[in-house]
DNA sequence: CTTGACCTTGACGCTGCGTCAACCCCGCAC
DNA sequence: GTGCGGGGTTGACGCAGCGTCAAGGTCAAG
């Protein structure tokens, strides 16, 4: 008769593990001696070693029981099944590695490559880091809501960068954010925005894009984000309204005044 | 302002996950509305999406926080570290697959291949399944206690199988177990055992083997296992004692009677 | 007023033990 | 006898990342 620590030592496991196996019913609770100590025999050592062997091979404890007294056929079936599970788990982890590798670049957190390229061009154009991050967040939201439309939208956006006025616009916005509410500059920016919106509308781009962005609540959410980030956005939107445009994240022609009232 | 379920939906996670992130401090608890509901904004959606992206790439939640606002250098260091951990985990799982593959054969649970071969030969010689399992368990114990000595011991054991008397011995034992205590057969088996022990001793095999089996408590344990399994073993040991041999799992020449008393 | 869909907190479950905590028991040196 | 060190005992929390009730308050709609 041996004690639990000797049993554990012979089998190459910890005492705690043995008690755990008792707890989950993998090993029966043995008889106790006069002072309450568990007493084991050689049979327990054998059983424990067999359990350990299976456990170390990645067999879940819940299945060890069944495997210990399985016929060879059942046994190899079960083993095949467990092996399949291990393969699945390995595949998952490899997938994790792949994804993590793609995160090496900072911006690509949650962003498709088209957007990353766009943001890089923005940065290269001298737009401030804060502004780029604002754009990034906006596109994170867009990509989450309409992932399949990102390529199309980004194609338009990237094309717009070829227009020097686009870069100018961002620079002016940067300045505005820096100096605060300056009515003169605000007016100039609003004019530029209206002009570009007008052209975009004439080309038909605006309608084509907006048609797909059909989730008012979500657009409202994005607008509120912009408002919170920079108070100037609110003022700009008001000025745009005066010029016949409504919205921010999704700009549209405003319904004519007096149309309904 | 959106509710928790809308937030979760936009970010592609479950409501429960969001609450969990609050709980572990990954997302700050937001303001509540009049009836205690959590209210979120677009910034929360962005943050949550970034968290999800990292989590889905296998980044432990405990490190997400640090990664979210890390500089690119720190970020890529951390990513490299996490990738290394993933690799380690994958290696472990592959090791599990290797071990599990080797368990395909029933007996090899916890047994080195030499022993498996020996047991196969035993079975092929017509020894009963119960007897083979008894041997198997004995060798599981041996392999656990003296793994490095298994090859040597098994070489001797396997060689003994070439002696027809060895097989005869097992068969006689099988019969004994089957019919119970039969004094005549017991005597014959004891004689055979003594004879073979004698020859083994003369060849020097016995001393060589026993020299290494220097753990009286363990040998006692194995003996007790044999006794429990088959009462005949106890009788046989007594008969062997009459013939000048002591022990069972490890047989030795008995100290001469009257040597000490 | 009643649904039904959401919201809230609280708590257990899963996996396989590691790691205290608080308390007995045993043999041995003093 | 007594103290000490090295056993043993049960009980319970911790870890990772939520899933899944449970029990009840809220809200918009019919």
């Amino acid at each position: 008769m041996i004690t639990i620590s000797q049993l554990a030592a012979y089998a190459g496991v910890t005492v705690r593990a043995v008690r755990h196996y008792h707890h989950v019913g993998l090993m029966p609770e043995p008889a106790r001696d006069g002072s309450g100590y568990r007493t084991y025999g050689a049979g327990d050592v054998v059983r424990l070693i067999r359990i350990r062997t299976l456990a170390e091979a990645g067999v879940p404890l819940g299945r060890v029981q069944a495997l210990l007294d399985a016929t060879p056929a059942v046994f190899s079936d079960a083993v095949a099944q467990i092996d399949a599970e291990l393969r699945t788990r390995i595949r998952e982890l490899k997938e994790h590695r792949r994804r993590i590798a793609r995160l090496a670049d900072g911006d690509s957190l949650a962003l498709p490559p088209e957007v990353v390229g766009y943001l890089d061009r923005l940065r290269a154009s001298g737009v401030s880091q804060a502004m780029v991050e604002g754009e990034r967040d906006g596109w994170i939201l867009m990509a989450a809501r309409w992932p399949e439309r990102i390529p199309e939208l980004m194609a338009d956006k990237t094309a717009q960068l070829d227009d020097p006025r686009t870069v100018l616009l961002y620079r002016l916005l940067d300045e505005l954010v820096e100096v605060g509410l300056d009515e003169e500059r605000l007016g100039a920016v609003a004019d530029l925005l209206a002009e570009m919106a007008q052209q975009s509308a004439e080309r038909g781009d605006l309608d084509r894009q907006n048609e797909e962005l059909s989730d008012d609540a979500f657009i409202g959410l994005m607008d509120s984000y912009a408002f919170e980030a920079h108070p100037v956005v609110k003022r700009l939107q008001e000025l745009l309204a005066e010029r016949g445009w409504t919205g921010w994240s999704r700009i549209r022609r405003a319904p004519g005044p007096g149309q309904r009232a």
Side-chain angles (χ1 to χ4, degrees), chain A:
Chain A
M1 284 301 131
I2 59 176
T3 68
I4 195 171
S5 62
Q6 299 175 47
L7 167 71
Y10 283 142
V13 304
T14 66
V15 170
R16 182 65 179 86
V18 176
R19 286 205 269 253
H20 183 61
Y21 296 156
H22 289 321
H23 188 66
V24 298
L26 253 183
M27 304 245 311
E29 277 280 358
R32 307 299 182 104
D33 70 4
S35 45
Y37 290 14
R38 294 177 177 83
T39 57
Y40 300 91
D44 298 307
V45 179
V46 171
R47 184 174 181 86
L48 184 51
I49 288 174
R50 302 182 78 210
I51 291 173
R52 188 201 63 173
T53 305
L54 288 171
E56 284 181 346
V59 176
L61 288 192
R63 301 208 186 137
V64 167
Q65 178 85 340
L67 283 190
L68 281 182
D69 29 45
T71 69
V74 173
F75 185 90
S76 64
D77 277 5
V79 161
Q81 158 114 26
I82 292 167
D83 188 62
E85 291 168 13
L86 287 174
R87 276 205 313 268
T88 301
R89 188 83 191 94
I90 289 175
R91 260 204 310 279
E92 289 171 8
L93 289 180
K94 285 186 172 170
E95 171 64 17
H96 281 171
R97 284 199 64 196
R98 232 169 289 135
R99 296 173 92 116
I100 241 191
R102 291 191 35 214
L103 294 182
D105 185 6
D107 270 343
S108 72
L109 270 177
L111 281 179
E114 296 94 332
V115 181
V116 174
Y118 173 72
L119 294 176
D120 284 345
R121 279 195 59 185
L122 262 194
R123 235 189 311 263
S125 307
V127 175
S128 76
Q129 180 63 18
M131 181 75 65
V132 173
E133 281 181 10
E135 281 286 308
R136 179 198 70 187
D137 288 356
W139 288 105
I140 286 180
L141 291 170
M142 284 295 229
R145 184 64 185 78
W146 293 288
E148 73 286 0
R149 254 162 256 156
I150 287 296
E152 180 197 347
L153 290 169
M154 287 320 303
D156 282 0
K157 273 297 218 181
T158 308
Q160 281 175 29
L161 275 187
D162 293 332
D163 182 344
R165 289 176 305 170
T166 306
V167 177
L168 175 62
L169 179 61
Y170 277 113
R171 294 228 180 107
L172 290 175
L173 280 169
D174 261 336
E175 275 182 44
L176 263 179
V177 169
E178 210 172 316
V179 305
L181 296 177
D182 171 324
E183 285 303 322
E184 197 172 336
R185 294 171 196 253
L186 277 167
V189 172
D191 286 338
L192 183 51
L193 268 170
E195 177 189 331
M196 293 177 68
Q198 175 65 27
Q199 289 183 4
S200 185
E202 282 166 7
R203 282 196 311 272
D205 288 351
L206 217 50
D207 285 347
R208 180 166 47 76
Q209 291 166 15
N210 290 347
E211 191 178 0
E212 313 275 350
L213 273 38
S214 55
D215 181 338
D216 292 348
F218 190 78
I219 294 295
L221 189 69
M222 290 191 64
D223 285 355
S224 72
Y225 191 43
F227 297 165
E228 281 167 26
H230 307 297
V232 293
V233 173
K234 190 152 195 112
R235 277 294 294 145
L236 276 175
Q237 208 188 1
E238 289 165 11
L239 296 178
L240 274 177
E242 292 172 7
R243 289 159 178 76
W245 298 94
T246 184
W248 179 258
S249 304
R250 179 188 61 189
I251 291 183
R252 289 172 161 172
R253 226 180 253 295
Q259 193 179 33
R260 186 155 165 59

